[in-house]
């Protein structure tokens, strides 16, 4: 346990990991990032551009957020950023960035004041692993600066339940639960992960997202304190909380077949054709998969008589609907199919499985969706729980 808590709470980031966090900040706000910039001889160089703005970055990392250390590093970063910019044929502006595990807001304010006194023309950035972001420079305040957290790590507020079940967090939960679910029912990596870094790599999410997720689980008591790996405990409570996140009303769009045929399973056939369309994949059309009770039957659970056909579509795209063979025109009077645009698309489409060349929502997702289904959903969800998810719910209590 001591080894895993050390990994979580006092993890030592390398400069490359801090650089990855910085790249994520810029890319998320629409900057083009060149990770292979080579203007300077030292440091993990980056170049960014957005419209007419361009910067070359010198990043310096401190193991602690002491003012004296950060002032020295900021001075060095300003000099190196200027040298790097002067060596570039594109004439970018220099940007000096410093990072540490935790930087107090007051310390960040002092660093900005230091910059104003000694290098008022310099663009600078300050960030830490706890959410503080301070950037000063042309175009930087608008796109990067966000209110920093004032709390120290030791007194962090317990996150809201809604945050625990964000899109990527739900995907990460599926990754942690996947060893208890057969591969044909849920598509996810299966393994043991000692810390947030290993989980991020396996799940293909950012280190920052994984670190926050693991920290939330620990703060809310859903991680085994005695395990060297990330092991979920109090799983019945966790699943109940997760299911509650799906009880809010969902707006489903009714659709009609453009060319209806006399078959009971027209939707699976249409999704199979849509998923197999190579031209569609090249155009990066919205992802789609069978959902709710139709997905349950495709996974081998059911049959469920007289259910409405549902499918997930990544975004409401008229061309995609036409490609599938559906239209909303006149559907409010006599719908054939319902489409649901998911609020948690990564969790749904990453975990979806392929059955008979057709994308199908995973069994965990089906259970979550069916639990709030208006016509007998509780009974249908219970059948899926008993037949597919019991390893999750039959937790040995300590």
């Amino acid at each position: 346990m001591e080894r895993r808590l050390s990994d979580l709470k006092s993890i030592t980031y390398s400069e490359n990991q801090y650089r990855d966090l910085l790249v994520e900040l810029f890319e998320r706000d629409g900057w083009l990032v060149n990770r292979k910039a080579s203007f300077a001889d030292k440091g993990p160089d980056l170049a960014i551009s957005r419209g007419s703005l361009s910067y070359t970055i010198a990043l310096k990392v401190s193991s602690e957020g002491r003012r004296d250390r950060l002032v020295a590093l900021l001075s060095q970063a300003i000099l190196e950023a200027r040298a790097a910019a002067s060596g570039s044929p594109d004439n970018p502006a220099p940007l000096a960035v410093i990072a540490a595990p935790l930087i107090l807001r007051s310390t960040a304010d002092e660093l900005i004041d230091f910059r104003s006194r000694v290098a008022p023309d310099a663009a600078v950035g300050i960030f830490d692993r706890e959410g503080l972001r301070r950037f000063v420079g042309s175009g930087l305040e608008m796109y990067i600066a966000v209110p920093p957290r004032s709390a120290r790590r030791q007194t962090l507020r317990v996150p809201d339940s809604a945050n625990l079940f964000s899109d990527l967090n739900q995907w990460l939960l599926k990754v942690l639960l996947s060893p208890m679910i057969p591969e044909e029912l849920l598509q996810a990596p299966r393994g043991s992960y000692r810390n947030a870094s290993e989980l991020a790599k396996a799940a293909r999410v950012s280190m920052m997202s994984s670190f926050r997720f693991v920290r939330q689980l620990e703060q809310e008591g859903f991680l085994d304190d005695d395990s060297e790996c990330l092991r979920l405990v109090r799983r019945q409570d966790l699943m109940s909380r997760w299911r509650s996140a799906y009880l809010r009303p969902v707006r489903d769009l009714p659709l009609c077949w453009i060319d209806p045929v006399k078959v009971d399973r027209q939707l699976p056939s249409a999704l199979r054709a849509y998923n197999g369309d190579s031209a569609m994949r090249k155009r990066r059309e919205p992802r789609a998969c069978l959902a709710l009770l139709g997905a349950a039957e495709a996974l081998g659970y059911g049959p469920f008589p007289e259910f409405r056909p549902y499918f997930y579509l990544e975004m409401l795209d008229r061309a995609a609907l036409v490609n599938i063979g559906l239209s909303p025109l006149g559907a409010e009077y006599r719908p054939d199919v319902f489409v649901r645009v998911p609020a948690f698309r990564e969790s749904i489409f990453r975990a979806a499985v392929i059955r008979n060349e057709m994308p199908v929502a995973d069994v965990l997702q089906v259970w979550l969706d069916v639990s709030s289904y208006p016509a007998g959903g509780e009974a249908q969800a219970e059948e899926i729980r008993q037949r597919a998810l019991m390893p999750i719910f039959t937790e040995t209590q300590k």
Side-chain angles (χ1 to χ4, degrees), residues 15 33 62 81 98 112 122 163 167 193 197 203 254 272 282 338 365 390:
E15 285 197 356
V33 180
S62 175
I98 57 172
I112 297 299
N163 292 335
D167 188 7
Y193 313 106
S197 179
R272 188 177 300 112
K282 290 180 181 178
F338 289 85
Q365 191 63 49
M390 282 308 292

Side-chain angles (χ1 to χ4, degrees), residues 62-74:
S62 175
S63 60
E64 52 185 316
R66 286 171 40 187
R67 180 189 178 281
D68 55 343
R69 291 195 177 188
L70 295 181
V71 166
L73 283 178
L74 181 59

Side-chain angles (χ1 to χ4, degrees), residues 226-361:
D226 297 324
S227 175
E228 294 185 354
C229 296
L230 301 178
R231 178 179 176 272
L232 292 172
V233 295
R234 296 178 51 227
R235 295 196 295 267
Q236 293 194 36
D237 292 341
L238 177 64
M239 299 300 286
S240 178
R241 290 257 305 272
W242 194 356
R243 187 171 68 167
S244 296
Y246 279 78
L247 294 180
R248 54 176 173 253
V250 179
R251 182 176 179 270
D252 300 316
L253 177 67
L255 300 169
C256 284
W257 291 112
I258 298 172
D259 183 19
V261 296
K262 299 297 183 180
V263 297
D264 294 334
R265 297 293 183 263
Q266 187 172 352
L267 180 58
S269 299
L271 290 179
R272 188 177 300 112
Y274 179 81
N275 186 59
D277 186 345
S278 59
M280 176 276 294
R281 292 196 298 270
K282 290 180 181 178
R283 292 194 302 269
R284 295 186 178 179
E285 293 282 336
R287 292 173 289 183
C289 69
L290 197 63
L292 279 85
L293 295 180
E297 282 200 352
L299 294 174
Y301 300 95
F304 301 104
E306 301 298 328
F307 65 84
R308 291 177 172 180
Y310 276 83
F311 73 102
Y312 273 119
L313 187 64
E314 189 171 10
M315 63 184 70
L316 203 56
D317 184 280
R318 185 175 294 273
L321 291 176
V322 171
N323 287 341
I324 297 172
L326 292 162
S327 170
L329 297 178
E332 65 270 24
Y333 304 109
R334 192 173 180 180
D336 295 319
V337 174
F338 289 85
V339 64
R340 181 173 292 186
V341 177
F344 311 115
R345 61 182 186 179
E346 293 304 318
S347 172
I348 288 171
F349 291 113
R350 289 193 190 199
V353 298
I354 302 297
R355 300 299 290 266
N356 297 322
E357 302 180 353
M358 174 184 57
V360 178

